[in-house]
Amino acid sequence: MMAEQQGNPEPPKNGQDPETENAEKPEKQPEEELPPFEIVTGSRFPSFFFKFQFRNVEYSSGRNKTFLCFVMDLQGKETGTFRGYLEDEHIAAHAEEAFFNNILPECKAGVKYQVTWYVSSSPCVGCAERITAVLKKNKNLRLMLLVGRLFMWEEPEIQDSLRKMKAAGCKLKIMGPQDFDFVWQNFVEQEEGQEGAFMPWEDIQENFLYYEEKLNEILQ
């Protein structure tokens, strides 16, 4: 059992692979034009992406995708539970925008929407503004947002956008070990020998506590 942490938590470790830490830096290649933007959707994604993209490290170098796993419960004139994930490619748009554009383009009258997102990192300012606007417009929508990491949380604009999301009714939380396990069980492709076996990384709990403290400070 992990001992209770005292004082200010240390910043999350960067999660770099030990064998690459001392490797020679590759020569800088000329920049190539990115292919057209696309949104990837589905029910499960490869475990490699989960282990890399969802890891709750402080420095997200190389983690240039956003994975958004959703559970949407409908009650009222329409009922049902829907699950899936969205993955954005490149920088033209983000998974949060894609959810409202492709998965839930409108909230119908007489239907209550209870939506939970499990996202690899918290939203940028633009996506936070879209979330805030949608929640203000649709009072029959409830959104809980659980994030693995805080994106650029030191920036005043980011902090302000997160507070506006909260004021609009969004419940914003940091993913704990049990939430990573839920994503593993419900949204990750289970390879042979991996079925039902979520293996937490060494610093998962201390990184969760670090980000939880920072989020609480921002939302006060």
Side-chain angles (χ1 to χ4, degrees), residues 137-193:
K137 180 181 178 181
N138 300 283
K139 300 303 181 182
N140 54 337
L141 171 63
R142 296 290 181 268
L143 176 63
M144 176 177 287
L145 181 53
L146 296 101
V147 301
R149 304 183 303 275
L150 290 177
F151 171 72
M152 298 179 65
W153 61 267
E154 299 103 328
E155 298 295 327
E157 284 187 329
I158 291 288
Q159 296 182 7
D160 186 55
S161 67
L162 295 178
R163 286 190 287 265
K164 288 179 179 178
M165 284 172 51
K166 178 185 176 182
C170 179
K171 294 183 178 179
L172 185 60
K173 296 182 178 181
I174 302 297
M175 289 177 62
Q178 72 280 2
D179 301 308
F180 289 107
D181 180 67
F182 179 84
V183 172
W184 174 267
Q185 301 290 349
N186 291 277
F187 298 100
V188 178
E189 293 176 359
Q190 303 294 301
E191 299 176 5
E192 186 177 354

Side-chain angles (χ1 to χ4, degrees), residues 13 24 33 47 62 104 136 147 154 167 170-171 204 215:
K13 301 173 184 177
E24 293 184 4
E33 184 177 351
S47 60
L104 189 61
K136 286 183 176 180
V147 301
E154 299 103 328
C170 179
K171 294 183 178 179
I204 188 172
L215 180 61

Side-chain angles (χ1 to χ4, degrees), residues 23-95:
E24 293 184 4
K25 294 183 179 180
E27 294 183 6
K28 187 175 181 180
Q29 300 295 323
E31 293 185 3
E32 297 182 3
E33 184 177 351
L34 292 172
F37 168 78
E38 65 175 330
I39 288 288
V40 179
T41 62
S43 58
R44 291 181 179 267
F45 55 90
S47 60
F48 167 81
F49 290 119
F50 171 80
K51 293 175 182 178
F52 183 71
Q53 299 290 349
F54 269 89
R55 187 161 181 171
N56 55 352
V57 296
E58 180 182 18
Y59 302 107
S60 56
S61 177
R63 294 171 171 86
N64 55 359
K65 295 175 180 282
T66 298
F67 280 81
L68 187 159
C69 304
F70 65 88
V71 179
M72 181 166 60
D73 292 315
L74 277 57
Q75 297 179 344
K77 292 181 179 179
E78 297 182 18
T79 60
T81 299
F82 305 90
R83 294 184 180 183
Y85 85 91
L86 300 98
E87 165 197 346
D88 60 31
E89 293 279 357
H90 318 312
I91 60 174
H94 296 156

Side-chain angles (χ1 to χ4, degrees), residues 114-125:
Q114 182 68 48
V115 180
T116 303
W117 288 357
Y118 299 85
V119 193
S120 52
S121 65
S122 58
C124 66
V125 172

